[in-house]
Each structure stands twice: as structure tokens, then as C-alpha cells.
Amino acid sequence: MTTAQQPENKVQQARTVAELVDYIQALTTEIQELYCLDEIPWVVGYSGGKDSTATLQLIWNAIAALPQEKRTKTIHVITTDTLVENPVVSVWVRNSLAQMKVAAKEQEMPIEPHLLYPAIKDTFWVNLIGKGYPAPRNRFRWCTERLKIQPSDSFIRAVIRSSGEVILVLGTRKAESTKRAATMAKHRESRVRDHINTNPNRPNSLIYLPIEDWRTDEVWIYLNQWQNPWGYSNKDLFIMYRGATADNECPLVVDTSTPSCGDSRFGCWVCTIVSKDKSMEAMIQNDEEKEWMQPLLDIRNELDIKEDWDKRDFRRIWGDVQLFERNKNGEISVEPIPGPYTKYWREHWLRRLLEAQTKTRRTAPENMRDITLITLEEMSEIRRIWLEDKHEFDDSLPRIYQEVTGEEFQDPRPGADYSLLGRDEWIVLEEICEGDAMHLELMAKLLDTERQYQSQCYIQSNLIQEFVPMVQELVFLPVLI
């Protein structure tokens, strides 16, 4: 990729509206020149929030101003749906992408929107309910890589394999937080030209940051004064941010003393990394029509218990026991490091989630009545993990599903309903073990392991019966010749 080294723009702390207009015009020219410089495709990260919307709007308007014959390079717009996004934001983004696709075709724009999802084995509920992973913490933040990074990284790698290189366009801004500013300052050390850095995590890719120096009020001024080119409403976006602010205020910033609603964050409704889901709490508080989300907030708060060791196994997920020295209120004790959620609590979280899904489908507005908190494919994978990996042959998932929803569970996995052992055998085993959980687990694993090998032996026996005549023919073949 050929790049020209240019002087860096200085951070502008106080641009007037007139200066902002001039700066946007200069940035439009920069985008057009960069777009026409080579054949390298662009990938724009779009979350539906204010920063990514402003970034995509800048790109769209700049390319739309080019003659048709110069719009030859594909611009991919990618959004990752973690399947646990805030439902209101999730619907907003999906509708935005649909509108974007229609507008791009009508305006003959080289823009292709893509809605990405994590692999079923990596989804939040498959890991938490299926495998028993505890709710994410800063020390065990297992969700971000699986839910957000891997889907987008897989797409970017596919573009690189196809085209050799890629330019990743992001709406990251230094004004978002002190931590973000420090991270961006570090990455500026690998700058190749104005607003463009090399990507330390992915060879053959560059990162373009067109609004890195914008303040929050400038983002809102741009969104409210420049029309959205794919026909979506930036005013509705503004209202959504206002509704997600605790004090229900999101004013136009007129000076440095005026607060902004830029701190309103939209993300996964199950997130336990943050202390509180302030955006969802504010939505429920500020809008009666969003009170239907209260069951989701209740589940999130129930998951957010730091010392949940009573809900977890004393062994790690692979069965080993690891000890640590604990100092609590001056009392030192040696205790096992807690592992995954126990069978009881995994079933509890499934039941709570299905109850919330059933209730929200009754109480949510018409446009949200088809809400899905956990997909059929996720439940099928959870069922497989419980049966095959954890040897819980009582097969409780279909029973819980029917008890909560009143409907029979239809597993899409071929052969999923075939089993030699089931609920009746599990109840008998519980009676034999007389409440000894460890004994019950051991016997269940032994019985299920025997069942699995019995199936393998049956298959091998059939193969041998078919193979023996062939061997006999080969043995006697030289004699016949």
C-alpha cells in the first residue's frame, strides 16, 4: 500500500461551527483522495451509535460526491450482533442496515452492509448455561474475544485473503475517555499518514480514524445538521441516547460547562464487567414503553454477584482442583478456586432466561414481540454439552423448555432425541445415591461413558461383520488364481 507521510493535525479543543464546517469539507476531500488512491477495499465498523454513524455518514457523503465512474471500490459496513445486545439498540441497528442496503442500491453506492454473529459454540449463553462459565469479570473477561472480536476479525481476514489488503475505518475518538486517549496516543507511534495507523493485530491492514479529534458536541452537531444519507433518522438516535441517560438530559452542547449525553453506553444487556447497566436502567426509568425490559435487567443484576462461589463447583472446568490462600478480614484460609456453575444453577439460569423471554413477548410493544433472548440453535448446543460433555443423561433442557413455554422443544440436531438413558434412570440413580452429589455425578459419568462405548462397540461390530468376508476373499484370492 502506497502512503504519503503527512503532518498530523493538532487536536482542536474549541472549533466554532464555521470552523467545523470547513474542517468537514477538508475531511471530505481527504476521504475522496484516499478512496481513489488504490484498489484496497474498506471495512467500516458500524455499531449504530453516534460515533460510528457520524463516521459512516462522512464516508457515504464523500463517496456520493464522486463521479459514478470513480465509485469502483467496495466499502463493507460490518456490525456484530452478540445475540445479547440491548434489544432496543439491536432492532435499531438491524433496521438501519436494512435501510442502508436499499439506499445503497438506489443511489448506486459501492456499500455492502453485513450483520455478523458469533459462532454458536462461542455465544454468551452456550458458554454460561452450557459450559457453566461464570458471569464475566475483569479478571476473566471471556466474552469480548468470543462475541465481538472473532466475528469481525474473521470477516476482515476473509477480505484480506481475497484482496491482499484492507483499510479498516473506525469511529474511535480520543475524547471518549482518558484510557481511550492513552491507547490511541500509543498507536499513533505507528502512524503512516494523517488519521491512518498500521494495525498491530492484523498484518496487511491499516486503520483509518477520520473523527479521532472530534469532541462529543461536534459529533452531535454534525449528525443533527447534516442529513443521514441512507434515510435513517439521526434525531431518533439523539432521542435514544437521551432516553439512556440517567437524568434524561442530552442537550446540545453550547459551551464547555454544558453536559453531554456522550457517556450513555449501549452494549450487552448481560454485561457484568460494569457495575451497573445505567443505559437500560435509564431507559426503563425514563420511558414507560420500555418497562418490559425489567426482566432482563433483573437477570443481569442476579448474575452480577462477585462472590458466587456457592453456585459453582469446587473443581475447575476440566475437573482439577486448584487451591489458593484467601485473606478475608484478616483470617487466612486455603480454599479451592471455584469453577463452573453447578448443574442446578445452569438449569436455573436457563429457566430464568426462558421465563423472561416468554414474559417480554407478551408485554413488549408490537415491534418487539418477536424478541429472542436465546436461539433454538444455542439451546441445541447447550443440550449437547449437558448430555455428551457433562454426562447429564436426565436430559433436562426439553423438560424445562416445555414447563416454561408450554411448547415441545424441537431440537434441530439430527439424532438428538435418541438416548438409551433418560429422566427415569436419573431419578433411580438419585435414589440409590441418597443425596450424595459426588456419588451421583460419578455414577452418571460411568454409566454414560459405558453407553457411549457400547454404541461404538456396536458400530465396530457391524463394520467387522462386513469386513470379514472381504478379508476372506482377499486371503483365498491367490489360491483361486
Side-chain angles (χ1 to χ4, degrees), residues 457-470 472:
C457 290
Y458 176 77
I459 295 173
Q460 291 172 356
S461 175
N462 287 342
L463 290 174
I464 291 172
Q465 291 179 9
E466 295 178 2
F467 187 64
V468 167
M470 296 172 61
Q472 291 174 342

Side-chain angles (χ1 to χ4, degrees), residues 395-432:
D395 197 14
S396 59
L397 188 144
R399 173 174 51 84
I400 294 172
Y401 183 87
Q402 186 164 27
E403 288 175 356
V404 176
T405 66
E407 301 173 359
E408 184 178 353
F409 181 69
Q410 302 291 334
D411 199 322
R413 187 163 54 94
D417 293 322
Y418 174 74
S419 178
L420 295 174
L421 301 173
R423 176 67 176 167
D424 293 339
E425 289 77 12
W426 187 272
I427 292 174
V428 171
L429 194 60
E430 283 182 324
E431 294 175 353
I432 294 173

Side-chain angles (χ1 to χ4, degrees), residues 219-247:
V219 173
W220 284 120
I221 289 172
Y222 175 65
L223 291 176
N224 286 319
Q225 297 301 319
W226 276 261
Q227 186 176 359
N228 186 292
W230 59 91
Y232 225 46
S233 173
N234 289 340
K235 290 183 179 179
D236 288 345
L237 177 64
F238 183 84
I239 293 171
M240 187 167 64
Y241 266 83
R242 182 182 61 188
T245 306
D247 57 4

Side-chain angles (χ1 to χ4, degrees), residues 190-297:
S190 58
R191 177 144 292 190
V192 297
R193 60 171 290 170
D194 204 23
H195 299 140
I196 298 181
N197 303 332
T198 57
N199 187 348
N201 301 317
R202 180 59 54 198
N204 297 336
S205 67
L206 296 176
I207 299 178
Y208 181 37
L209 307 169
I211 65 169
E212 60 178 345
D213 295 325
W214 286 34
R215 302 190 313 273
T216 300
D217 61 319
E218 292 177 329
V219 173
W220 284 120
I221 289 172
Y222 175 65
L223 291 176
N224 286 319
Q225 297 301 319
W226 276 261
Q227 186 176 359
N228 186 292
W230 59 91
Y232 225 46
S233 173
N234 289 340
K235 290 183 179 179
D236 288 345
L237 177 64
F238 183 84
I239 293 171
M240 187 167 64
Y241 266 83
R242 182 182 61 188
T245 306
D247 57 4
N248 198 23
E249 297 224 354
C250 186
L252 286 173
V253 178
V254 295
D255 55 40
T256 56
S257 65
T258 308
S260 170
C261 64
D263 291 332
S264 300
R265 299 288 181 176
F266 300 113
C268 301
W269 65 267
V270 293
C271 183
T272 49
I273 301 296
V274 295
S275 58
K276 288 184 177 181
D277 189 342
K278 295 181 180 179
S279 63
M280 182 172 283
E281 287 181 352
M283 282 184 173
I284 295 172
Q285 175 185 345
N286 298 332
D287 190 346
E288 291 183 358
E289 292 184 358
K290 293 185 175 63
E291 290 181 356
W292 60 270
M293 291 195 294
Q294 185 64 48
L296 280 65
L297 186 61

Side-chain angles (χ1 to χ4, degrees), residues 130-381:
K131 299 176 184 177
Y133 279 22
R137 304 292 175 196
N138 281 319
R139 291 188 177 182
F140 188 38
R141 198 168 182 166
W142 54 264
C143 52
T144 305
E145 177 73 21
R146 290 174 170 86
L147 303 185
K148 293 180 177 290
I149 297 176
Q150 289 183 4
S152 57
D153 189 58
S154 297
F155 184 90
I156 293 168
R157 284 190 283 111
V159 175
I160 293 176
R161 284 196 301 268
S162 175
S163 305
E165 294 177 285
V166 69
I167 293 179
L168 183 61
V169 185
L170 301 177
T172 310
R173 294 184 303 110
K174 289 182 286 187
E176 291 180 67
S177 66
T178 304
K179 184 177 180 180
R180 179 59 59 86
T183 302
M184 294 179 68
K186 183 179 180 180
H187 289 167
R188 287 170 78 97
E189 298 173 1
S190 58
R191 177 144 292 190
V192 297
R193 60 171 290 170
D194 204 23
H195 299 140
I196 298 181
N197 303 332
T198 57
N199 187 348
N201 301 317
R202 180 59 54 198
N204 297 336
S205 67
L206 296 176
I207 299 178
Y208 181 37
L209 307 169
I211 65 169
E212 60 178 345
D213 295 325
W214 286 34
R215 302 190 313 273
T216 300
D217 61 319
E218 292 177 329
V219 173
W220 284 120
I221 289 172
Y222 175 65
L223 291 176
N224 286 319
Q225 297 301 319
W226 276 261
Q227 186 176 359
N228 186 292
W230 59 91
Y232 225 46
S233 173
N234 289 340
K235 290 183 179 179
D236 288 345
L237 177 64
F238 183 84
I239 293 171
M240 187 167 64
Y241 266 83
R242 182 182 61 188
T245 306
D247 57 4
N248 198 23
E249 297 224 354
C250 186
L252 286 173
V253 178
V254 295
D255 55 40
T256 56
S257 65
T258 308
S260 170
C261 64
D263 291 332
S264 300
R265 299 288 181 176
F266 300 113
C268 301
W269 65 267
V270 293
C271 183
T272 49
I273 301 296
V274 295
S275 58
K276 288 184 177 181
D277 189 342
K278 295 181 180 179
S279 63
M280 182 172 283
E281 287 181 352
M283 282 184 173
I284 295 172
Q285 175 185 345
N286 298 332
D287 190 346
E288 291 183 358
E289 292 184 358
K290 293 185 175 63
E291 290 181 356
W292 60 270
M293 291 195 294
Q294 185 64 48
L296 280 65
L297 186 61
D298 292 340
I299 290 177
R300 184 260 165 217
N301 292 338
E302 189 177 347
L303 282 169
D304 191 18
I305 300 176
K306 291 184 179 180
E307 294 191 3
D308 57 354
W309 299 353
D310 59 322
K311 299 178 175 63
R312 295 162 61 183
D313 202 318
F314 68 92
R315 296 158 295 181
R316 307 305 296 271
I317 198 165
W318 300 117
D320 56 325
V321 178
Q322 297 180 3
L323 303 178
F324 77 106
E325 190 176 86
R326 185 186 187 194
N327 187 338
K328 185 175 182 180
N329 300 327
E331 296 184 5
I332 298 177
S333 60
V334 177
E335 301 181 16
I337 298 175
Y341 289 125
T342 62
K343 182 178 188 293
Y344 172 86
W345 284 102
R346 285 184 277 109
E347 293 175 348
H348 169 79
W349 295 129
L350 175 64
R351 186 180 296 275
R352 291 280 286 112
L353 187 61
L354 289 173
E355 288 172 348
Q357 179 172 278
T358 303
K359 184 175 181 179
T360 53
R361 285 180 175 177
R362 293 197 309 265
T363 59
E366 286 295 332
N367 63 326
M368 301 294 295
R369 289 289 173 89
D370 61 344
I371 185 172
T372 299
L373 301 183
I374 182 169
T375 66
L376 186 64
E377 291 74 19
E378 287 179 288
M379 286 187 283
S380 176
E381 177 62 11

